[in-house]
Each structure stands twice: as structure tokens, then as C-alpha cells.
Amino acid sequence: MINIVVDKLNNNKVEIVEVKGSGHPDTLCDVLTEECSKRLSRYYLKNFGKVLHHNLDKALIVAGKAVPEFNAGKIIEPMKIIIAGRAVTKVGNVLVPIEKIIRNAVEDVMQKFNAPYELEIQVKEGAQNLKQVFKRAIAVANDTSIGVAFYPLTPLEKMVKNTAELISSENFRKKFQGVGYDVKVMGVREGKNVSMTIALAFVSKHIKNMHHYRELKHEIKTYIENLHNVSVHINTLDSYDKIENLYITVTGLSAENGDDGQAGRGNRYNGLITPNRAMSIESYAGKNINHPGKIYQVMAQKIAEDLVKKANSKCVEVMLMTEIGKPLTEPYVVSIKAENIDLRKIKEVVEQGFKDFKKLQKANLL
């Protein structure tokens, strides 16, 4: 029987929240592009006195091939990571070592996963008109884009995010040896009834046999259910007839065998995927600090949090929009949806946020 829930607009009788954990291939793509952008930005700043034009926000993970076995397993073909984008590759006679910067960044990010990979880099020189943006005296937008944020989180949003972070933690993997880094948590609230569905990769060398797998999965399910007092379902595709029908991997990453990843398909800036809330499909990861698709996400989040903390608003949604070529400190529109509206305090918070704009940009390079 199909479970159909009919509701009025904006009533949210049903709430759905998703988080992709640190080892999910989409999350990996975002983390890789962001780390590459930050390192390149710091190189520009150190060697040329300012951040130059670049966008390294395109990444793809092409899954490899692996054969997991109880107490064993092997990689047949490594995953392939592709980083693509545009950047200033030469300043005067000085060549920017972009490939070296990207390779070092990818190596450092991937080190903890202990998973083999191949790396392809496709970064070309950016468009001339976009490079001119960074030569202006004040920071201007190098794209027409938006930033969206909300605050505070609902109980379900907090629970799903906390659960994904818990499972991704070193302490959790020590407590439940055999758990991998790749996790996805989907939370659903129907009225007062809450459940979570979790996709969790297990590492084959730590799993003795079918019974051990089922036992460990049950222990984790019970642990999380007791922690949150909700119904939990783990690896619902499992069929216990053979190892090929279980979510068991060699490395703890689904990208080793059949699950590709792409930048921009994962969590939003606040670490969540929230279809019940206002959010942008613009990916913040890998963009330069003058790209409103990045810095306006950060600014919108700061304004939303400050409005709750300083303007006594219970719940806030913020949308910022600007046009390419316009000063970033002068957005085309700032849209605020809030409870307990105090126009004077809202104006103070928004104006102060944009006064601190340069500080926010610098902080985003760390």
C-alpha cells in the first residue's frame, strides 16, 4: 500500500532531511574542490598579494572495481578523480604550479581513506572579462548568483546531521570496528513519528562472516535507536544469501565499486539537504571568494544566525542576490523571512554583516 500524506502548503506534516557523510562520493568531490580552491587562493595571496580569478568547482569521481570478501578483499581497478575548472595560470613570466597544488591537496584529503585512486586534472585559463573582476579596487561579483540560508535547525535536522557526524567519527569506528567512512542518513518525520534510513559501508577485512555482519549491523541499529528514541533502518537493500548482496566494501568507500560522485550534488553549505526549506542548488565548494555562489552562502548563514541571536527572531530564512560586476557589499536584494520581526534590529544585523564582509572572505581562506 502506498503511504500518501496530504497536507496544506507550508504546513510540513511530513519533513525530510538528508546528510551525505564524509566518505560519500559526492561529499568527497565537494571537499576536494574546496581544498584545491583554498590552497590555490592562499598561493595567489602569498605570491601576488591577492586572490586571483579561479573556479575549481567541477569534480567527478568515476568509481573503480573491487571484490570484497569476508576477512579479505582486493581492489581490481582504482577510482578516478577528475578536477576541472578555470584559473589564472600565469602572472607576468611567473607560472602558477596549479597541478602541483591540486595534487598535493587531493593527496592530503584522500590520505585518511587509504583507498587507491587515479587523478586527472583539467584546469584551463579563465575568461579575460572574469579575470578583470579581481583587478578592481573593490570586490565585485564575478557571477549573477544567490545565497540562501536558514536558522535554527529543526529537531530532525539536528538529529540527522549529528547521526551522520557520529558515524563518521573515529570513536564510532573504534566502537564498531568494521564501519567505513561512506554513510548517508535520511530522516523522515510524519507528524510525531520519526525514522532514519542509513546507508552504511562496512569494511570487508573486519567482517568475519555473514553472522558477524548481521550482528554488527544490529548492534549499530540498536545503539542509534536508543540514542535518539526513533526507528532506524540500515542497509535496507541487503539480502543475506551471499556477500555480493551486502553493503560490504574493501576500503569503506562505495566509490571503489560502482558509485560515482559529482561536485554540487551533496550537502549544502550548512551540511544538510533540506527539501522542506529554502535552499540553493548552487554549489559553494571550489569557488573563489568573489563568487556570490560561495560567499553569499556564507554571508546568508551568518545573517540568519545573527538575526536569531541578536534580533530575537525565532526562525529565519535569508536570501541574498547580486548581479555580475556589482559590488559584493551592495546586494541587489536581501530577502528576510522571520518570526518576531524587528525591522530596526534586522537592518542593524544585515548592515553589520556586510561591514564585516572582508573578514568573512579572509576567514573562508583558512
Side-chain angles (χ1 to χ4, degrees):
M1 182 180 294
I2 299 176
N3 180 24
I4 301 174
V5 179
V6 180
D7 200 5
K8 294 180 180 179
L9 283 172
N10 301 319
N11 198 34
N12 287 344
K13 187 184 295 183
V14 174
E15 180 186 10
I16 300 173
V17 180
E18 180 182 2
V19 171
K20 296 177 179 180
S22 62
H24 190 285
D26 293 337
T27 304
L28 278 176
C29 285
D30 285 343
V31 172
L32 289 167
T33 56
E34 182 67 357
E35 186 63 22
C36 290
S37 172
K38 285 185 175 181
R39 293 198 185 193
L40 181 59
S41 295
R42 292 196 291 265
Y43 179 90
Y44 285 146
L45 195 59
K46 179 181 178 180
N47 291 275
F48 308 116
K50 60 183 177 180
V51 177
L52 301 179
H53 173 67
H54 70 279
N55 284 313
L56 303 179
D57 55 341
K58 308 299 187 294
L60 182 69
I61 290 180
V62 181
K65 293 181 181 178
V67 180
E69 301 171 8
F70 291 124
N71 283 323
K74 57 185 176 180
I75 301 295
I76 305 299
E77 181 182 333
M79 71 180 87
K80 186 173 186 178
I81 298 171
I82 303 172
I83 305 291
R86 300 285 158 170
V88 173
T89 60
K90 187 178 181 181
V91 179
N93 294 323
V94 180
L95 291 174
V96 179
I98 289 177
E99 287 213 5
K100 181 180 178 181
I101 292 169
I102 291 176
R103 287 189 183 279
N104 288 343
V106 172
E107 182 179 336
D108 288 347
V109 169
M110 295 300 296
Q111 187 174 16
K112 78 171 185 178
F113 300 109
N114 196 29
Y117 65 88
E118 296 176 352
L119 177 61
E120 179 180 338
I121 300 170
Q122 293 289 342
V123 177
K124 309 297 183 183
E125 192 74 27
Q128 193 63 32
N129 62 334
L130 291 177
K131 289 193 288 184
Q132 296 302 316
V133 165
F134 287 83
K135 296 182 179 181
R136 302 194 184 179
I138 59 173
V140 299
N142 69 345
D143 196 3
T144 298
S145 193
I146 62 172
V148 181
F150 58 83
Y151 192 79
L153 303 184
T154 67
L156 182 65
E157 289 163 351
K158 290 179 183 177
M159 183 182 69
V160 172
K161 187 174 184 179
N162 290 342
T163 300
E165 290 174 352
L166 171 68
I167 296 173
S168 297
S169 69
E170 295 295 335
N171 286 339
F172 191 88
R173 280 194 303 284
K174 288 178 182 177
K175 185 179 182 66
F176 300 102
Q177 191 176 37
V179 169
Y181 281 98
D182 198 338
V183 59
K184 184 171 81 169
V185 182
M186 184 81 74
V188 179
R189 176 184 57 77
E190 296 182 50
K192 294 183 179 180
N193 297 320
V194 178
S195 66
M196 285 192 292
T197 301
I198 300 173
L200 178 57
F202 287 79
V203 181
S204 59
K205 68 179 181 180
H206 296 300
I207 307 301
K208 300 174 184 177
N209 48 45
M210 186 72 70
H211 175 74
H212 182 207
Y213 175 82
R214 298 183 71 168
E215 188 178 59
L216 182 57
K217 195 170 85 164
H218 180 72
E219 287 178 10
I220 295 169
K221 168 184 165 68
T222 302
Y223 180 81
I224 297 174
E225 284 182 335
N226 291 339
L227 195 63
H228 296 294
N229 195 29
V230 299
S231 175
V232 173
H233 314 281
I234 298 177
N235 296 352
T236 54
L237 183 62
D238 281 351
S239 177
Y240 301 114
D241 53 345
K242 53 185 178 178
I243 190 172
E244 289 84 358
N245 293 332
L246 305 177
Y247 193 5
I248 293 183
T249 65
V250 177
T251 63
L253 301 178
S254 63
E256 72 177 32
N257 189 37
D259 197 1
D260 306 313
Q262 185 175 345
R265 295 186 68 253
N267 308 325
R268 301 300 89 191
Y269 175 72
N270 64 359
L272 296 159
I273 300 170
T274 50
N276 290 74
R277 302 277 218 150
M279 66 177 195
S280 170
I281 62 170
E282 182 78 76
S283 174
Y284 71 92
K287 291 179 169 62
N288 68 76
I289 56 173
N290 276 14
H291 198 304
K294 179 195 208 74
I295 202 64
Y296 270 22
Q297 308 284 5
V298 182
M299 176 60 77
Q301 189 65 43
K302 183 180 186 303
I303 289 173
E305 292 180 13
D306 285 350
L307 285 173
V308 171
K309 296 170 183 176
K310 300 176 182 179
N312 300 320
S313 296
K314 290 184 179 180
C315 185
V316 177
E317 288 183 357
V318 178
M319 290 192 293
L320 310 178
M321 180 267 178
T322 190
E323 297 174 308
I324 190 170
K326 301 297 183 181
L328 283 163
T329 53
E330 300 173 17
Y332 186 87
V333 66
V334 176
S335 172
I336 308 286
K337 293 181 180 180
E339 296 179 7
N340 300 345
I341 294 174
D342 185 324
L343 293 177
R344 180 183 62 82
K345 287 185 177 180
I346 287 176
K347 185 178 179 182
E348 287 177 0
V349 167
V350 172
E351 289 180 347
Q352 185 59 50
F354 280 97
K355 284 180 182 178
D356 296 335
F357 192 79
K358 286 187 177 180
K359 293 180 182 178
L360 202 67
Q361 283 185 309
K362 288 181 180 179
N364 204 62
L365 295 178
L366 300 177

